[in-house]
Amino acid sequence: MKREMNDLKITLIAKEIEYGSQIDEAAFFYWIDKIEGILWKGVHDSIHIDIPSNQIEDGTLRELLALFYRYKIDSQQLTQFINDSNRSWVLNKHAYWYSGLMGL
């Protein structure tokens, strides 16, 4: 069976996350559990975030941008989800996530 591009599973990796406190760590896992359409698992000193497709909803991308920004996770991994329909808001140079997303 031929696989379409949007059938590709994507794994994002959050390495060595720094939490401000035990409650902050609990908040991270509470938040990530609330993001629809993703699964995660701990692997050594990182969290692997599995996305079932390279096509995700805008709301999911916004939550990932916020989560990655808040916990200083490499946001450049999220550039693979930029497409024609979200390009204008994702690449807004005034957005708080822009510099991290672009590696500036």
Side-chain angles (χ1 to χ4, degrees):
M1 176 156 91
K2 183 179 175 187
R3 292 189 67 147
E4 299 294 325
M5 276 299 280
N6 62 358
D7 290 336
L8 300 175
K9 182 181 96 171
I10 306 288
T11 299
L12 308 173
I13 299 176
K15 295 181 182 178
E16 301 172 352
I17 301 169
E18 293 183 27
Y19 306 106
S21 68
Q22 288 180 331
I23 292 174
D24 188 38
E25 182 176 2
F28 172 85
F29 289 104
Y30 177 82
W31 190 353
I32 200 168
D33 281 339
K34 294 292 183 189
I35 302 174
E36 290 202 27
I38 68 167
L39 299 171
W40 64 269
K41 65 183 172 208
V43 179
H44 303 290
D45 66 346
S46 64
I47 305 294
H48 288 206
I49 303 165
D50 291 330
I51 315 264
S53 167
N54 64 344
Q55 302 290 315
I56 61 174
E57 299 289 325
D58 283 359
T60 300
L61 182 53
R62 284 184 188 276
E63 290 299 331
L64 289 169
L65 284 163
L67 183 78
F68 280 41
Y69 176 82
R70 164 67 183 88
Y71 290 96
K72 299 178 179 80
I73 300 166
D74 178 13
S75 298
Q76 290 181 292
Q77 299 175 82
L78 300 175
T79 59
Q80 61 194 309
F81 300 112
I82 298 171
N83 58 44
D84 290 340
S85 68
N86 65 24
R87 184 175 311 280
S88 63
W89 68 263
V90 174
L91 296 179
N92 176 353
K93 291 182 180 180
H94 302 291
Y96 66 86
W97 61 76
Y98 182 79
S99 62
L101 184 68
M102 303 311 292
L104 303 175

